[in-house]
Amino acid sequence: MAIQFKSQSDIGKSLTRSKMILCEFFEKWHYFSLELAVYNTVWWIGNYCHPLVELQFWAKDRITIYMDKYLNNSILPPHHTPTTSQNTTILNTIRSTLKNKQPREIVDNSNYKIWIFWWQGEKAMPDLVRGCFQQVKSTNDNVILVTQENIRQYSDIPDYIFRRVEQGEISFTHLSDILRVSLLAMHGGLWLDSTCWIPASIPDEVKSLRLISPRTKDQPKMPFWSDSRWCGWCSGTNLVQNPLFVFTRDFFYSFYKTRSRIPFYLFIDYVYDYAYRNIPEVKTMIDTMPENNINRNKLHFLLNEKWNKQEYSKICKNNWVFKLSYLNSATL
C-alpha cells in the first residue's frame, strides 16, 4: 500500500492561506488585541510571500516585544498543585523555579522512554502515521503511545485543560504542546511527533544528553523563534525536572487556566526562547547542544519519488530522525 501526496494548485493554496490569515486576524484581535493581530498577520504574509521575508523578521521582533511585556506584567493564577498560595507574575515563576531546585534524577538508557501521541489510538492513525509508529517500535525499546485512554496515567495535566479539549476550545495540536513538556518534565526521555521517521535505533549518546533536539549551526538568521537551535517536533532530555520543560509546563498550566487560545502559531517556540533569554541554565543547555540531524527534512521532499535504496542510505547517514507530513495525502 503506497502513500501518494497530492499537490494543491497555486490558486487553491492562495485561497486557503488567505482564508486562514483572515481568520487568524479576527481571532487574535478578539482574544488578545488589535496590535497583536496586525503583527501576526504581517508574520504570516512574510512567511508565505518569500520576497517579503523582511516583513516576517519585523513582525517576529514586534511579537516578541509585545509578548515579553505581556508575560512580564501578567498576573497568573496559582499552579494547579498547591505550590503557590497567591497570584504571581511569570518572572516570579522563573525565580521560584530556580530557587526551589531539587536534585534531578538522571534517566539511564534502559529506562529512557520514547513518547508519541495520538489521541484516538493506533487503529485510528492515518497510514503514514501508523507506518512511522511501527517503524520506531521495530527499531527501539520503551516506545510509549499516549492516547485518550492513558494520558492521565503518564502526565499531570490538570482537569481544566482536558475540559477545554472536550469543549473544543483547545485543539489536539495545542494539547500535544502541553503534553510533551509535561511528559519530559516528569519522566525525561524523547518526544517524537507522530510523523517522525526513525530509520534505526536511536544512538545511546543521544540518550545521555541533558537536552537534545535537531539542530543546525552557522545558519543564516531565520524569522522563527527556534532559529535552527531546536525543533519542537523532536526534543528530549536525560534529566527528570529539566528546567526548560518544567518552566514551559508550569507556564502552560497557568496560561490555559484562564485562556483557551494561543497568541500565535509558534507559541511554544517563543516560550522556549523566553526561557533561553531568562534562565541561564537553559541558555547553557541550548548553546552546548551538538549539531545533529542536519538532513532532517530531506525525506519529506522525496515522499513521491521512486524508491532509491542508495539515496536513502546516504541521507540516513549521521541522521537518526526525519520529519514527514501526512497532510494532503491519499492511500492508493
Side-chain angles (χ1 to χ4, degrees), residues 177-185 245 248-249 252 268 272:
D177 287 343
I178 303 167
L179 176 63
R180 74 190 67 193
V181 293
S182 173
L183 293 171
L184 294 175
F245 302 118
T248 308
R249 176 200 64 187
F252 277 167
I268 189 170
Y272 284 172

Side-chain angles (χ1 to χ4, degrees), residues 128 132 180 192-198 214 231-234 295-301 303 321-327:
L128 186 137
C132 288
R180 74 190 67 193
L192 296 176
D193 272 11
S194 60
T195 50
C196 286
W197 179 263
I198 306 295
C231 295
W233 45 265
C234 172
N295 291 326
R296 53 188 172 270
N297 294 314
K298 283 196 173 182
L299 285 184
H300 168 75
F301 296 105
L303 284 173
V321 64
F322 297 89
K323 183 67 171 71
L324 307 181
S325 173
Y326 68 91
L327 297 177

Side-chain angles (χ1 to χ4, degrees), residues 3 30 47 61-62 82 88 117 126 166 174 235 246 268 309 316 321:
I3 302 293
H30 176 74
N47 186 63
D61 291 342
R62 295 305 182 279
T88 182
F117 173 55
E166 291 167 1
H174 299 153
S235 51
V246 169
I268 189 170
K309 183 177 180 180
C316 291
V321 64

Side-chain angles (χ1 to χ4, degrees), residues 8 10-22:
Q8 193 177 21
D10 290 341
I11 294 177
K13 287 180 181 178
S14 297
L15 291 174
T16 299
R17 290 168 177 174
S18 297
K19 180 180 178 181
M20 182 276 292
I21 292 172
L22 188 62

Side-chain angles (χ1 to χ4, degrees), residues 232-243:
W233 45 265
C234 172
S235 51
T237 178
N238 74 334
L239 292 179
V240 175
Q241 300 297 313
N242 183 305

